[in-house]
Structure formats: C-alpha cells, structure tokens
Amino acid sequence: MRSRLRRSLAPAAAIAASALLLAACAGEPEPAATGPTEGGTLVYASGDAEPTCLDPHVGGNYPQALLATQFLESLVSRDADGAIVPWLAESWTVSEDALTWEFTLAEGIEFTDGTPFDAEAVKANIEHLQDPATQSSTGYLAVQKVESVEAVDETTARFTLSAPDSALLESLSQPWLAIESPTGIARGMEENCESPVGTGPFVVDSWAKQDRVTLTRNDGYASAPGDAAHDGPAFLDGIEWRFIPDSASRYAALQAGEVDVIDNVQPDVLVQAEQSEDLVELDAPRPGSSNRIELNSGKAPFDDVAVREAFIRSVNVDDAVASLFQGTAERSYSPLASVEPAAYSDDSLFSYDIDEANDLLDEAGWSEKDADGVRMKDGERLTLTFPVSTNQSIPAEVSLFEQLQAGAKEAGFDVQLDLLDLASWYSALGANEYDLVSAPYTKVGPDVLRILYHSDGIVPAPSGYFANHSQIDDPAVDALLDEASATLDEADRAALYEEAQADVLEGYYILPLYDQQNHFLLSTSVHDARALGTVSTPSFAAAWLS
Amino acid sequence: MHGTRARSVARWAARSALRAAVVLWASATLVFFITRLVPGDPAEAALGGPGSQASEEALAAVRERFGFDQPLIVQYGMAMLALLRLDLGTSYSLRQPVAQILGDTVPGTVILAVLALLLAWVLALALTLAQSRGSRVGAAVGDTVEIVASAVPHFWLGTILIAVFSTGLSWFPPVSTGTPAGLVLPVVTLAIPIAGFLAHVMRGSLDEALRSPFAVSALARGETETGLRSRHALRHAALPALGLSAWAFGYLVGGAVVVETIFARPGLGRSLLQAVTVRDVPVVTGVVLVSALVYVVLTIVTDALTRLVDPRIATEVR
Amino acid sequence: MTLDAATIDPLRPPPRPERRRRRVRVGEVVAVLFTVALVIASVAPGLLAPLDPTAVAPLEAFRPPSPSHPFGTDESGRDVYTRLVHGTGASLLIGLAATAIGLGTALVLALVAVFGGRVADGIVGRTIEVLFAFPALLSALLVILVLGPGPVAATVAVGLSTAPGYARIIRTSLLTVRASGYVESARLLGHSPARVVLRTILPNALAPLLALATLGVGQAVVWASSLSFLGLGAQPPAPEWGAMLASARVYLTTAWWLTVFPGLLIVATTLAATAIGRSLDARSRRSS
C-alpha cells in the first residue's frame, strides 16, 4: 500500500482537505494529468449487515447511511473541518429567539423520478420522519424539537422549533434525514424501502436480497455539496453494492479483483494490505462518540467513584490496543470522536497504575480477597458483568476486552464477559444487568453528548432502549448539556460541551478506547473517492476507474 | 403375486403421504411453541427489536395486527389456519412475505446442498473402494483421512480453499459470482466433511457386512474378497449410509449457514442466521418448515430406495 | 454402550476369518496414552501446564512456536499450549455431553420404535422425522433463539440434533439384524425376546454406530466451534478448543499456529477415540 490517508480534522485545514483526495499521493508514477475517465462500474463490498430497508428514514442505522449516501442528499453537509456547508439548501437564517429557521433551497433540482425538489418536499420529509408509522428512530430523535415545517414559497422552507436546537444543522446533515421524493414516499413503505428516490448521483436500480444493490448513474445530477471538488453527473456508469459478510472473503475478493472497494477492514487485514502495491486505505473514523467502555454508575459497585477509578487504573489499554490493532487505531481520551472539533481529551486521568487501583479499592472497603483473588466487601464479590455484542464488537475488540479482563483481575475484579447476539445484548441492557458495556453512537456534532450523558437518557423508551448506559445522573452535567443545546454561538457552545466532557471524564464514567473504526480499502484503480464530513460514509460522486 | 405387490406399493405411498403431513404439522406446532418461548416482547421484535425505540402506539398497533394480545391457543389456531392457506406471514425485519423470501433463497441453497451431497457420495464411495484391499495400513490411512475430513470445520476449510485456489492460484472466484465457477469452492467446502462422515459409516457397515454369514459362504464359494466387497457387501454397506442421506441433507443445510456466509451466497442459511439474530420469528418458522418439507421428501425417496436395495425390509417389517 | 464379553452370544455370526494374529498394536498404545493424557488434562490441567491460561501479555502477542512457547502465543500473548491443555475439560465435556445426549435419545427412540409395536414405531418414526426437520445448526440456532447464546445451548442443541441421525441408523441396523436368520434361530432355540434383543440384536446393531459415535465427539466440538464462528458460541476467556479454532480463523494467514494446534487436537482426540473403539470392538469379537 503506497499511502495511508487519514481523514483527520487536524487544525491545518489545507492538509486535511488534500488528504480527502485519495489519488493525491505525492510521487505516484501514474499520469495524474490525464484526468478522470468516464464509464465503468465500481464494485463495492460491504461487510455491514444488509439493510432491511433502503430508506434511511425507516429505523436509521449505519449500513443504511452507507448506501443512502450514493443516492440521497441532505439539506446541508459538513466539510472536513467540521463546518456546515450548503447542499440542497443554499443558505439559511435563524430568528433572534432561535425558534424559527428559514432555509433557501437550491433551484431547478429534480428528484430522479421527475418530482421537483421544493419546500413542499422538505415539509413532506420531516413529516414522514415524525410519523410513527415510518418507524424512524435516528431521524425521529433528531427532529424532536421541530414543531412544524412550512413551505413559504417554492424555495423557502420555514422550520418552527419548540425549543432552541443548536444541533439542528448537524442533525439535518445526516443521511438519516436525507430528502426523498414525496412521490416516492407516497408509494408506501414497502415500495419505498426497495427503491427510495432522491436527488443523488446514483439511482437504485434493483436490490437482490442477500446479494447486491445495483445503482446506476443519475445523468441529470447537479446538486453536489458545497465542499465537493466535482459538480455534475458521476463519471461511473454505476455501482454494484455487494454484501460480503465475512472479512477474510471480502479481502480475498478485493485481492482477486472481484471488487474495487471493501469496508469494515479489520486490523489484521490492514496490516497485510500494507504490503500490497495495489491497495490504498481510506481511514474515516465515524463522528459522534468515541469507542469507549461505559461504567454503570447506577448500581453497585460502580456507584462508588473510587471503584470506577480503580477499574480504569487497573487496565492497560495502551498495550492492548498496540498488540491487537497493530498501529491501525489511535488511543482516545475523549468522550467524543476525534473528528468532532468540540472533542475534549484528558489523558492524565487514564494512566495505568495498578498500585493506585489497589489502594483505591482497599480504601473503598473492598479489602478482603477470596480464594480466587477476587476482592470482597460485606460478603459480596467484586464481580462486573460485561455484555458484549458480537454484532457491534469486532474480534480484535473482543480480544481487547479479554485483555482488560485479565488486567482487572490483577486488581481483584472478576469481570464476566458475556458474548451476546444483538437481541440478547439489548435485553441485558434493558434489564440493567451490566456493569460495563461498550456501545458507540454515531451522530454528527457534539449534541451526541446530550443523548449519551443527560439524565433523560436513563429513562427507557417503551421498547426498553436507553442511551445513557453509564447512567450519569448529575444535575450539573444536565444543566451544561441543556444550555449547550440552546446556545447557537459556536465558541460558547464548544466551551459548554468541553465542561460537560470534563465532568464525564473526571467522574470516571467512561474509559475511552479509540475512535469508531471505519477503514476502507480501495484498489488503486479507484480514484477520487472520498469520505463525507458528515458520518464518514464514502461518496463515489466524483470517483472514476482507471 | 403382482396384485399383492401393487397393493403393497399403494399402501406404502398412502402411508408416506400421511406421514409427511403429520411430520409437517408436528414441526409447525413445535416451532410455533418454541418461538413463543423466545424471551422479549414479540411486538417489539416485529418492530425491529429493542434497539428500534418503538413507541407505545406502534407496539399496540402491532400487537393488534399480529394477534399477540390473543390467548396462545387462539394464536396457535390462527397460525395453523394460515399455514393451511399456505400463508407463511410477513417477515418482521424485511417487511416482505416470507414465501417470497424463501422463494428467492431456497433454490440457491438446494443447488448448493444437492451438488455437495452428490460430490460427498462420490468421494465417500471412492474412499471406501480405495481401501477395499483391506490392509491394516490402508484402514489406518482411511481412518485418518475420514476423521480429518469430518473434523474440519466449514469455516476453516472455506478460508483455506479461498487462500489456495482463489488468492493463490486464481482458479476460482472467492465469492459467489452467479457463475458455475463460483459454485466450485462452496460445494467442495460443504462436501468434504460430510464425505468423511459417509465414508466412515460405509466402511464400518462394509466390515460388518463382510463378517456376516453370506460373506463367509461367498468366500467359501470361491469369490475373491475384492469382488465380494465391491459387488455384494457394498450394497449392504450402502444401506445405513443411504439412511443417513436425509440426515446428511440437514447437515448440509446447517453447513450452508456457514458456507453461505463465507462465500457471500444468497441462501436459506444466511436468511436463517439473520432472522435468528433479529428474532424474526416468521422467517425462522418458514425456514424450519422448508427444511422439514425437504426432509420429508428425501425420506420418502430414500425409503423407496431402501426397499429396492433390501426387499426384506419392505416385506417383513412394513 | 460397551461391548464387553458378557454381551456376546454364542449365536453371533462367526467372526470374519482372521488374516493376521492380533497383537498389541503401536497405534492402540499411542491412543491409550493420548487418552490418559487427555484425562489428566481434564482433571488436573496444572500438572501438564503450570501457567495461567488466561494471563495476557500483550507485548508477547503472535509469537510463533519456540522452546518457551511450544505452540506459540495468541493475539493477547497467551500461551497456546497452556490454553489447549486447560481447555481439554470444557471441550471434551461439550463433545461427550453432546454425544451422550444424542446417543441416549437415539437409543431409546430406536428401541421403542423397533420393539414397541406398530403404534410405537409410528409415533417414534414421526418423532425422529420431526427432529430431523431441525438439523444440526438449525436446531442449535433455535435453541439459541430461546436460551440465548452460550456453551450449554450449543451442547444441548448439537446433542439433540445428532439424535435423529443416530436413531435412524440404529433403527435400520436393528431392522436388518432382526430380519436376519440368526435372530430366528435364537427364537427357535427358545431364548426370551429380551435376551434376543440384549444379547443378539443390540451388539450387532450398535457396531456401525460405534464408528459414528466416535466421530460424533469431535463433530460436536466442531459444530460448537462453528457456532463460535457465527458469534453464538463459548464465552471468553475460558479456553475451549472450538472457540479457539473459531477466533483464530481471523489470523489464519498470519499466525498459522493458532488454528493448526487446536485443529490437530480435535482430530487426534477423534482418532484416539476411534482407535480405542475399534480395538474394543475387535477384542469383544475375538473373545467370542
């Protein structure tokens, strides 16, 4: 592999911007001057679960976002520096009380079914998201504060909010809130799930379940986001979007030239691919939360901050990450992903110190030990239940948890790892049968902190789902998050979120590990693919094959 | 004499049909009650599981629609009536009729399994006959080959085959391409373990058959041992292995879960795995019923073959 | 299901002409020694491998076999040899328990079917067929649907799913044996039906099964490993051969020793069981 490109949000904007262009590798022998060639079908192999519905309004998960990026577009986007840029909306204004937003829409855009894109379409989409029958979760949560949308005229959509929402633009930039053709939506859920209609560079042609989605070029495409280098129809004739669940097979298919791009690349494959001259890596960590272990402070033993700190001090995360991820993942010390400009880190809180851990536990009353070396207090063993979802944690991460388990044992913790399938894992969380859990959350912007750490997030939804797994119930944190959510000034907002993050970190509620890993491998014949600055899904709007 | 024969065949056919119906009904009943034991709210599962954050109204609507608020016996009755109408319901997660999902995925799996079974039989016969010299070393080698073959997990074998024949030699594509070449590696992966199994059973029965009185008398009549093995004894040895074929098919359907995952082939196995992961009860039920149906048909076929190979069973027992 | 001399009936068919004199074979000795080692490893693993099987050493990860780590180290720097030895008990338990569940169920079903009269045969036949309709991994997935993933669910499921296969074979064998002449002669000699079943029919019918059951132990471990591969198997960090095999697959091309040694151990265990089974079978025949 000639180069590893990281979509980072380092302060040096120019570096970050150029890093987005995969082909821009210094010293490449191939003739970069010839420019893009038209035609060809790109074959993408996805290791994510196959979506059950291609309309990202329904449910709303990452596999849907990956696909939707190819054929749907949002009102706004986010560039590599984390700044919101125009997309289907050209500009916007917000009222003094922050309750009314007016979006001026791009003119002359049509959905691929011929329906014009206008303010009525925007209104129909928000209403679609808010309709319980749509069964939206991600999009539904993101527009909770939107009371109504009014089509003032063809190109002006007015959003009326029930409360100020500083995250509105970030929310709207996500693929789960992409704008679909109202005519398409009106066909009903079954048909719209099969082939949602948008304004994007590609169109859903067919979907052979368990096999592939075939996408063809939208010849009338003219609505690239504000940070795109290429405007106008795609160079590719189309995309074959294949589902290849097994990591080793996916890599074999890439090596054999059966596919051009693979996602969910595992650390061991990345290390192997470094030897190859024909492959390029695209590292696009997801936005929102970092990958971290949450400590359930809602019940014993982690209701005691000393025990939480002792656990965190007892595990050697750095060595574990180094051995298992072999340099492909960077350690995080923040509740937020490194791509979030508002991310705040404090590495001093997470240094490995087994003696400190032992002292803390002795002082906290866990001073006796049973025959297995597990600490005891009032006849209770220091047992920690750790349900792990095999759907969410990759093998290297499971091994990482095993290593942490062994480390914590030295300090007298008995960590019980339970490998569960998704449904069992959710029910373990719903029943509050966990002390440790790892559940990353992808969302654009720092507002994810409110979802994850506001005490409102402890109250389960009717389905039993809740997002505040560390069960932080701190009025100070709540107040900071509420205020940040109502503060539109970027600097003030960032300061509030920083304070909230510091509280979360200093309370030892979480053990940050690394960014949500999101590695892609591309054949060197693929040029000018990039990851969007929103949820880091790859876009092939400007891609071409050589 | 012919009349008796015809009547016996007709009776056998009628009995087979009845048996098939009973097995299908019992399977449907069993899977109905097993799936009701699944922990969690079925209405929630119908809306995509606990992660879906479904609202209370949505849950109530689903309960009403699927009849989850009815007594269990009523639900059972409804389920059985629906089955009689050949209505398998709608998948919770895919929002498609189960019959359509099965229709799309069954052919791929059946082709895979049938080819694998044929290949396994060929390999097993070859293995058994190759050892018919009956030497001690031969038997030991046979044991080892069979056991290694049968103890190789599909996921391991598939990965090795991909590494060698796809990444290394570029002979076959590593993932399904819809072409015959794409079928080679999955079929071989699925066939080798079961071939080891079949060969092992056949050889065991062969040895057994060679010890029986007819073998001794044949040898006494001057038949060579090789001739005895390949002509007479093999027929007897094939019996238990034939009885195994229906079971082998089930084994292959199970193996298909792994093989289809590795080779990214659309099929019944992957549908099942996905359905289990998201507690998609209608799809699980559908897959089980298809499996039962295939089994029932295969049983009837092997039964008929067994009657041909060993008429004693037909006349005396049944 | 032992085939000792007591179960041998003088009316058994004559043994196949011996082409060689049976002596103690090298293979049998090796098999017995290996089995003894397995038993020791199950009961007191510390005797064979004094290290801690769960102790991690991240900086020692992925070491190929060497004098200090004869089977290398895994992704967490744990000693593979130590883990294999300590995993023997759990692995054999899965294999033996699943096989016992399968064989026990099968034997009962088949006996009832063949000797319980027409109605019983019908009921059992349908039961077997219904069980058959839920083949190995499928029924394992069903059990997991209810019990959730885990080693117990896997063992029960794998065991039950093998039962109809065994039952069918036993039934077919029983029928063949029952149809053969020497049972008739036993009856003519005035032996009671129970005696005919116990002394004449069972030993003959079980012989082909022995070959299958010995394979079954290894098979159960392999099926359990397939469940681990699908993310529905044993729990870490407890060492278990199948789970080790499944998790090592990720590193197949970079760390071959992680899959080869657990794989070899499963195969060797099955081979040893087969060799001993054969030998017992042969001894019982010879003594007749």
Side-chain angles (χ1 to χ4, degrees):
Chain A
M1 186 157 53
R2 255 165 297 199
S3 65
R4 167 176 307 167
L5 296 168
R6 197 181 168 86
R7 190 181 70 76
S8 83
L9 287 180
I15 296 172
S18 68
L20 278 173
L21 302 172
L22 277 169
C25 305
E28 271 188 35
E30 62 207 54
T34 54
T37 18
E38 290 235 12
T41 297
L42 180 137
V43 185
Y44 181 102
S46 179
D48 271 298
E50 182 176 9
T52 55
C53 170
L54 297 186
D55 173 4
H57 290 187
V58 177
N61 59 24
Y62 203 77
Q64 287 174 307
L66 278 169
L67 259 160
T69 301
Q70 317 312 323
F71 55 84
L72 297 183
E73 297 183 303
S74 302
L75 286 177
V76 295
S77 187
R78 187 164 84 153
D79 69 14
D81 303 324
I84 297 294
V85 294
W87 201 349
L88 291 176
E90 282 180 336
S91 62
W92 49 90
T93 57
V94 58
S95 68
E96 196 63 35
D97 62 2
L99 291 176
T100 309
W101 293 69
E102 273 196 12
F103 291 86
T104 307
L105 309 179
E107 276 180 73
I109 310 287
E110 271 188 6
F111 293 102
T112 49
D113 62 356
T115 310
F117 165 73
D118 56 17
E120 284 295 343
V122 174
K123 179 179 159 71
N125 272 272
I126 301 297
E127 283 169 0
H128 183 235
L129 284 167
Q130 292 180 329
D131 182 355
T134 306
Q135 297 172 21
S136 170
S137 67
T138 314
Y140 175 81
L141 284 176
V143 294
Q144 256 177 335
K145 290 184 186 167
V146 178
E147 219 164 53
S148 65
V149 178
E150 186 191 340
V152 179
D153 57 42
E154 253 184 39
T155 56
T156 311
R158 181 184 295 152
F159 284 55
T160 308
L161 308 189
S162 56
D165 183 6
S166 61
L168 182 67
L169 291 174
E170 290 158 350
S171 297
L172 290 172
S173 76
Q174 304 185 111
W176 302 295
L177 287 91
I179 305 297
E180 298 174 25
S181 159
T183 321
I185 291 173
R187 292 174 300 172
M189 191 200 265
E190 201 173 308
E191 213 173 318
N192 205 45
C193 275
E194 288 281 312
S195 60
V197 178
T199 55
F202 298 95
V203 183
V204 179
D205 181 64
S206 63
W207 178 14
K209 298 276 160 66
Q210 292 185 1
D211 189 20
R212 69 190 71 196
V213 175
T214 307
L215 301 156
T216 51
R217 174 171 51 209
N218 169 11
D219 290 321
Y221 182 66
S223 48
D227 62 336
H230 167 71
D231 204 359
F235 299 116
L236 299 171
D237 289 335
I239 303 176
E240 291 252 317
W241 195 278
R242 300 208 47 189
F243 302 103
I244 304 184
D246 185 65
S247 165
S249 311
R250 213 156 52 238
Y251 182 55
L254 180 67
Q255 284 177 308
E258 297 274 333
V259 305
D260 304 305
V261 182
I262 60 173
D263 63 17
N264 284 278
V265 186
Q266 305 299 305
D268 55 291
V269 169
L270 283 176
V271 173
Q272 283 180 57
E274 271 169 18
Q275 318 297 323
S276 166
E277 281 289 304
D278 309 317
L279 302 172
V280 181
E281 184 197 348
L282 170 62
D283 179 10
R286 298 185 193 175
S289 81
S290 58
N291 245 19
R292 73 249 179 275
I293 297 175
E294 290 148 291
L295 286 66
N296 181 359
S297 67
K299 64 172 193 176
F302 278 155
D303 51 354
D304 182 347
V305 64
V307 181
R308 295 202 295 271
E309 183 180 354
F311 173 78
I312 283 173
R313 297 286 187 196
S314 73
V315 294
N316 188 342
V317 178
D318 287 342
D319 279 0
V321 171
S323 78
L324 294 165
F325 288 82
Q326 300 168 60
T328 61
E330 207 170 303
R331 177 74 202 274
S332 164
Y333 302 99
S334 171
L336 284 181
S338 66
V339 295
E340 295 297 344
Y344 166 80
S345 294
D346 188 347
D347 57 357
S348 69
L349 297 168
F350 299 101
S351 52
Y352 168 62
D353 188 341
I354 189 81
D355 296 332
E356 175 78 14
N358 279 318
D359 289 348
L360 282 164
L361 288 172
D362 285 341
E363 280 166 37
W366 295 92
S367 43
E368 287 165 47
K369 282 195 178 184
D370 72 2
D372 303 329
V374 177
R375 284 178 183 267
M376 310 271 294
K377 180 182 176 180
D378 307 330
E380 286 280 311
R381 294 175 94 230
L382 190 47
T383 301
L384 303 173
T385 307
F386 190 173
V388 175
S389 155
T390 46
N391 298 68
Q392 300 204 354
S393 288
I394 61 169
E397 192 164 278
V398 175
S399 301
L400 176 91
F401 297 155
E402 284 182 45
Q403 293 198 11
L404 302 189
Q405 175 186 43
K409 196 176 158 198
E410 305 273 299
F413 286 101
D414 171 28
V415 179
Q416 295 287 336
L417 277 178
D418 284 331
L419 288 195
L420 300 174
D421 65 327
L422 202 54
S424 315
W425 182 77
Y426 272 123
S427 48
L429 296 191
N432 200 16
E433 281 166 3
Y434 70 96
D435 298 297
L436 296 160
V437 71
S438 170
Y441 200 107
T442 302
K443 187 181 196 301
V444 173
D447 183 51
V448 70
L449 294 168
R450 184 181 53 79
I451 293 171
L452 297 176
Y453 305 115
H454 195 288
S455 60
D456 287 353
I458 302 175
V459 185
S463 63
Y465 179 82
F466 63 104
N468 185 349
H469 296 132
S470 31
Q471 303 195 9
I472 303 182
D473 191 358
D474 182 345
V477 173
D478 284 358
L480 286 167
L481 292 171
D482 285 338
E483 197 184 341
S485 177
T487 305
L488 294 193
D489 181 89
E490 274 305 319
D492 294 351
R493 185 179 176 229
L496 289 164
Y497 278 130
E498 183 176 319
E499 223 179 302
Q501 290 175 72
D503 283 354
V504 170
L505 293 177
E506 283 157 16
Y508 296 104
Y509 293 105
I510 61 167
L511 172 60
L513 301 173
Y514 30 73
D515 275 334
Q516 293 181 54
Q517 300 295 299
N518 201 26
H519 299 268
F520 301 83
L521 275 178
L522 296 83
S523 143
T524 41
S525 64
V526 179
H527 304 267
D528 292 351
R530 66 161 186 150
L532 293 186
T534 50
V535 293
S536 303
T537 46
S539 161
F540 300 103
W544 51 281
L545 297 168
S546 59
Chain B
M1 207 55 202
H2 277 280
T4 330
R5 187 81 175 265
R7 231 177 305 144
S8 130
V9 168
R11 259 210 316 273
W12 173 80
R15 221 174 16 231
S16 296
L18 187 68
R19 275 167 56 190
V22 169
V23 169
L24 283 177
W25 164 77
S27 304
T29 304
L30 192 60
V31 76
F32 174 85
F33 286 105
I34 288 178
T35 51
R36 295 301 132 151
L37 289 176
V38 174
D41 182 353
E44 195 177 276
L47 286 173
S52 66
Q53 304 170 42
S55 67
E56 200 54 68
E57 302 88 73
L59 288 172
V62 166
R63 277 191 200 106
E64 167 110 38
R65 196 172 119 217
F66 289 106
F68 294 141
D69 46 0
Q70 305 280 332
L72 195 61
I73 191 72
V74 176
Q75 291 186 42
Y76 172 71
M78 282 161 56
M80 292 301 120
L81 281 177
L83 278 183
L84 279 181
R85 293 193 309 266
L86 297 179
D87 175 8
L88 293 169
T90 305
S91 158
Y92 294 161
S93 61
L94 295 168
R95 297 175 182 83
Q96 266 187 325
V98 173
Q100 189 187 332
I101 295 169
L102 295 178
D104 290 347
T105 54
V106 164
T109 304
V110 167
I111 289 171
L112 184 67
V114 166
L115 289 178
L117 192 57
L118 289 177
L119 180 60
W121 264 103
V122 171
L123 289 176
L125 277 172
L127 258 177
T128 312
L129 286 179
Q131 296 163 37
S132 67
R133 304 290 166 263
S135 78
R136 215 170 84 184
V137 177
V141 170
D143 265 353
T144 314
V145 169
E146 287 154 16
I147 288 170
V148 170
S150 66
V152 170
H154 294 119
F155 63 84
W156 196 81
L157 188 58
T159 314
I160 292 280
L161 290 178
I162 289 179
V164 174
F165 293 103
S166 182
T167 310
L169 298 169
S170 303
W171 287 0
F172 302 107
V175 291
S176 154
T177 48
T179 58
L183 259 171
V184 174
L185 295 184
V187 166
V188 173
T189 304
L190 203 50
I192 285 179
I194 196 85
F197 233 105
L198 288 176
H200 204 69
V201 171
M202 277 168 70
R203 206 154 49 85
S205 318
L206 185 63
D207 285 348
E208 195 63 23
L210 283 172
R211 292 172 190 150
S212 64
F214 91 84
V216 179
S217 60
L219 281 175
R221 280 199 311 270
E223 177 76 272
T224 63
E225 186 168 330
T226 309
L228 181 70
R229 276 172 183 265
S230 46
R231 263 187 294 272
H232 303 286
L234 201 58
R235 204 175 64 150
H236 285 258
L239 262 183
L242 197 61
L244 261 184
S245 273
W247 166 82
F249 198 81
Y251 177 101
L252 292 171
V253 170
V257 177
V258 173
V259 170
E260 285 166 2
T261 302
I262 290 179
F263 293 98
R265 281 181 60 81
L268 211 56
R270 260 170 94 190
S271 298
L272 177 68
L273 183 63
Q274 198 191 352
V276 167
T277 316
V278 300
R279 307 285 191 262
D280 192 338
V281 169
V283 174
V284 173
T285 309
V287 173
V288 169
L289 289 179
V290 165
S291 165
L293 184 68
V294 169
Y295 169 72
V296 160
V297 170
L298 273 175
T299 318
I300 294 174
V301 172
T302 49
D303 215 35
L305 284 178
T306 310
R307 290 165 64 93
L308 281 178
V309 179
D310 192 350
R312 286 179 304 170
I313 291 177
T315 51
E316 186 172 321
V317 178
R318 289 284 161 134
Chain C
M1 192 195 65
T2 51
L3 288 170
D4 51 68
T7 61
I8 302 305
D9 190 277
L11 285 168
R12 282 179 60 98
R16 137 176 71 162
E18 287 285 328
R19 273 172 284 120
R20 54 185 180 267
R21 276 179 56 210
R22 285 191 65 91
R23 267 186 240 107
V24 176
R25 290 193 204 164
V26 182
E28 283 168 13
V29 174
V30 172
V32 169
L33 285 178
F34 183 75
T35 310
V36 170
L38 287 180
V39 171
I40 294 175
S42 311
V43 180
L47 287 180
L48 297 176
L51 299 177
D52 178 358
T54 57
V56 304
L59 305 178
E60 294 278 301
F62 297 120
R63 295 288 153 87
S66 67
S68 56
H69 297 292
F71 291 174
T73 66
D74 70 3
E75 69 277 10
S76 293
R78 296 175 296 207
D79 183 55
V80 173
Y81 167 74
T82 305
R83 286 179 68 71
L84 284 174
V85 169
H86 284 260
T88 310
S91 314
L92 288 187
L93 192 64
I94 289 181
L96 290 174
T99 309
I101 291 173
L103 273 182
T105 315
L107 197 57
V108 170
L109 285 175
L111 282 175
V112 170
V114 177
F115 301 106
R118 253 187 130 73
V119 176
D121 188 23
I123 293 173
V124 169
R126 297 311 80 75
T127 311
I128 291 177
E129 282 167 353
V130 171
L131 279 175
F132 253 129
F134 300 77
L137 215 51
L138 199 149
S139 68
L141 290 174
L142 271 182
V143 173
I144 283 164
L145 196 63
V146 177
L147 294 183
V152 175
T155 308
V156 171
V158 170
L160 277 183
S161 63
T162 51
Y166 292 146
R168 268 239 131 175
I169 293 176
I170 304 176
R171 184 174 168 277
T172 311
S173 308
L174 286 177
L175 288 177
T176 317
V177 173
R178 201 178 70 170
S180 69
Y182 53 90
V183 175
E184 285 306 308
S185 41
R187 279 187 193 149
L188 286 176
L189 279 176
H191 290 308
S192 73
R195 187 189 153 105
V196 173
V197 168
L198 203 68
R199 299 243 169 134
T200 308
I201 295 183
L202 264 192
N204 282 285
L206 286 180
L209 192 73
L210 190 68
L212 198 62
T214 47
L215 277 189
V217 177
Q219 270 295 308
V221 176
V222 170
W223 274 125
S225 81
S226 291
L227 288 173
S228 293
F229 163 73
L230 296 170
L232 304 166
Q235 300 296 321
E240 191 272 305
W241 299 345
M244 288 172 72
L245 193 60
S247 67
R249 176 180 166 276
V250 176
Y251 309 107
L252 199 60
T253 47
T254 47
W256 54 268
W257 57 94
L258 290 183
T259 38
V260 164
F261 292 112
L264 280 180
L265 209 48
I266 294 175
V267 168
T269 304
T270 318
L271 271 177
T274 311
I276 292 173
R278 285 255 162 92
S279 150
L280 283 177
D281 187 24
R283 265 164 219 278
S284 69
R285 284 173 197 292
R286 201 175 31 193
S287 61
S288 59

